[in-house]
Every structure is written in C-alpha cells, then in structure tokens.
Amino acid sequence: MSPLIAPSLLSANFANLHDDILMVNQSEADWFHLDVMDGVFVPNITFGFPVIKAIKKLATKPLDIHLMIVQPERYIKQFKEAGADILSVHYEASTHLHRTIQAMKAEGLKAGVVLNPHTGIQVLEEVIADLDLVLLMSVNPGFGGQQFIEQTYSKIIRLKQLILDSGSHALIEVDGGVTTENAPKLVAAGADVLVAGNTVFKSKNPSLTIHLLKQ
Ligand code: DX5
Ligand code: ZN
C-alpha cells in the first residue's frame, strides 16, 4: 500500500514559500507538515500563527502541524483557528495528555501524539484508542537534515501491534531522516505517513521525489 506523504516545509525556501506551497499542491503529496518550535522544548525556533495562516490560504491539502512546544494545551484553539487539520503534541511536553487529546478532539481536530526517540510506545497504552495519529520521531526533534535512527523500524512494528490490539484506527507517521532508500522499509514495517523535509526540498525535482516516496 502506498504511504501518505507529508513534505515538511521546514526545508522549503522561506523567502519564497509561495512557490513551494504550489509545488506541493500540484504534487502527489497528501499533507503539508508544519514544524512549530518554541526554543524551549527544542533548541530551535521556527514560526507561529501568522505564517500558518498565510500557508493555509494557499494550501489545498490538510495542514499536519507538529508542535515542538512546552504546554501545547495552551494553544490548541489558536492552532485550529490558524488552519490546523491534524495537530500533534509531544508526549514529553504535555503533563495531562489525556485532557489535551480530548481538547484537540473537541476543537474538531485530528489528534496526534508524538514520541521522541527515547520514549517507549507503552506510554500510549491508555490513550491509543482515542488517537487519530501517532508520530514517531526518527531523529531528535529540532532540525531538518539529520541522520535516521535505525531502531525506528522495530518501534513501528511494536506500535502497529499495539494499535491492532487496542482496536485503534491511529495512523503511524514517521518524521526525520526519511529518504527514498528507507521509505520502502518503513512502509513494510507499518508506517502509514512519511514526513520528508530535506529529501524533498533539497532534491533537483521535488515533485518527482514525492512521486518516488509514494511508490
Ligand atoms: C524535525 C522536524 C522534521 C524535519 C524533518 O524536528 O520534526 O519534520 O523537518 O526533516 P528531514 O526530513 O530533513 O529529516
Ligand atoms: Zn516534524
């Protein structure tokens, strides 16, 4: 089965996002992946509501927003209003995760939880049935263009089993170091959605690369 592809705009040309957004619109990509970083949860700062609203005006595909911020529960409504369709918060950043998930769903958002590479999937046992998405970090969050962490394959397999056992309909998304080389192995392990930043935007032909990732 071919995966959903979510190009990460973190690696796009911020001086000309317009052209990169149109490229994604016209490509075989399925979602836009937007990385929001606060300089506290991760050692980097990216963008916030004004930029997301501007992207929303041009994008013809769902916005998949990955929050790398502390206390993400404080901003759920604003992200919905800015244009989020799918919103994911880090397990490591939200103390009352169950409440945060319910709040996302109450806003009509698809609700996702993100796990850092060091966080085991067992922490999701009590909430997995409520989730639309689990995002597995295959690099430590904060930057594009990092090396893929190989343990991710077995983590996907174990997460898939947890999803099946619990009757959850959650999709498995993988983020960080995804390439046209490792994509088939990720899909074989059980990944449903692949995020790709550098692989797409630093390639000579980004829409062809999206096509190849989808194979
Ligand atoms: C990293 C971000 C990723 C990043 C992936 O913290 O969550 O979405 O853009 O970039 P690549 O695909 O280049 O590893
Ligand atoms: Zn991301």
Side-chain angles (χ1 to χ4, degrees), residues 66-79:
H66 174 191
L67 296 184
M68 284 158 274
I69 66 175
V70 296
Q71 297 181 299
E73 56 277 358
R74 294 163 68 204
Y75 296 106
I76 290 167
K77 201 178 176 61
Q78 285 101 311
F79 280 107

Side-chain angles (χ1 to χ4, degrees), residues 78-160:
Q78 285 101 311
F79 280 107
K80 169 70 182 179
E81 285 166 2
D85 296 284
I86 305 139
L87 193 65
S88 296
V89 301
H90 268 261
Y91 164 80
E92 301 84 3
S94 187
T95 308
H96 301 286
L97 187 64
H98 182 275
R99 181 188 288 150
T100 307
I101 294 164
Q102 303 312 319
M104 290 193 277
K105 295 174 78 152
E107 286 295 336
L109 291 157
K110 298 268 186 224
V113 169
V114 195
L115 300 183
N116 271 336
H118 74 273
T119 304
I121 56 139
Q122 74 283 354
V123 301
L124 296 178
E125 273 172 18
E126 304 301 329
V127 292
I128 190 73
D130 291 337
L131 293 179
D132 298 300
L133 184 83
V134 177
L135 175 48
L136 294 182
M137 289 310 302
S138 41
V139 298
N140 285 290
F143 304 93
Q146 301 183 82
Q147 175 89 33
F148 178 82
I149 296 171
E150 297 287 325
Q151 286 97 307
T152 309
Y153 298 114
S154 70
K155 202 169 176 181
I156 295 169
I157 292 167
R158 283 177 283 118
L159 174 59
K160 193 78 177 181

Side-chain angles (χ1 to χ4, degrees), residues 43-73:
N44 197 6
I45 299 176
T46 55
F47 50 80
F49 304 119
V51 174
I52 295 170
K53 284 180 185 162
I55 293 169
K56 185 70 177 180
K57 283 193 186 132
L58 295 171
T60 57
K61 297 174 182 182
L63 302 191
D64 167 37
I65 302 191
H66 174 191
L67 296 184
M68 284 158 274
I69 66 175
V70 296
Q71 297 181 299
E73 56 277 358

